[in-house]
Amino acid sequence: MDELELLRQQMALVSEFRVPVPDSGAGGYAEIVVCRERTGVDRWAVTDGSLTGLRAWVAGEGWQYVSDVGRTVAYAHERDAALALARQVAELEAACYGAEIDALRAQDQDGER
C-alpha cells in the first residue's frame, strides 16, 4: 500500500478537526471545531465545539444553534470548504475577542480618571 492510499484510509476515520483561534495577546485558549456529520459522509459543520447547545457557523447569520437550523443547514460543507471556513471564523473570533478586551481596557482607564 502506498503512502497516499494509507493517508486516504486514515482520513476516512477522522470525525473532527480543531482549529485554534489565534491568540490576541490577552491569554486563554479557544478553538473552532469542524465536525463530520457521520463516518462515510463528506458533510461537515463548523462548530463552537460545545457539548450541550452546539452551535454551527451559518453563512450570513453567524453562530446558530444546530437544534434551531437543523442538521442539513449546519452540516452543509465538504471537508476542505469547512476547514477553510473554520480558519476564517477563527480569525474573526480572535478579532472580536481582541476588540472586547480593548473596550474593557478603555473602560478601566476611563474609570481611573
Side-chain angles (χ1 to χ4, degrees):
M1 178 181 313
D2 69 358
E3 191 172 330
L4 182 58
E5 181 57 30
L6 180 60
L7 181 59
R8 282 189 183 120
Q9 288 179 6
Q10 290 171 339
M11 288 298 293
L13 300 174
V14 173
S15 61
E16 72 179 29
F17 294 91
R18 295 179 178 270
V19 178
V21 173
D23 183 6
S24 62
Y29 177 78
E31 61 193 10
I32 305 299
V33 181
V34 178
C35 300
R36 184 189 300 217
E37 184 177 30
R38 64 184 182 276
T39 304
V41 175
D42 191 25
R43 289 174 43 104
W44 298 77
V46 176
T47 76
D48 63 1
S50 178
L51 295 176
T52 60
L54 182 67
R55 296 181 305 162
W57 188 267
V58 177
E61 297 182 34
W63 293 116
Q64 299 292 315
Y65 289 102
V66 173
S67 59
D68 290 345
V69 297
R71 296 181 71 80
T72 301
V73 171
Y75 292 85
H77 311 284
E78 293 181 348
R79 182 192 64 226
D80 292 342
L83 288 169
L85 178 59
R87 286 190 293 271
Q88 292 173 353
V89 171
E91 291 288 337
L92 179 61
E93 288 291 305
C96 289
Y97 182 66
E100 286 180 33
I101 295 299
D102 291 345
L104 290 172
R105 287 181 180 149
Q107 283 178 349
D108 284 347
Q109 289 175 352
D110 288 344
E112 292 175 2
R113 292 181 194 170

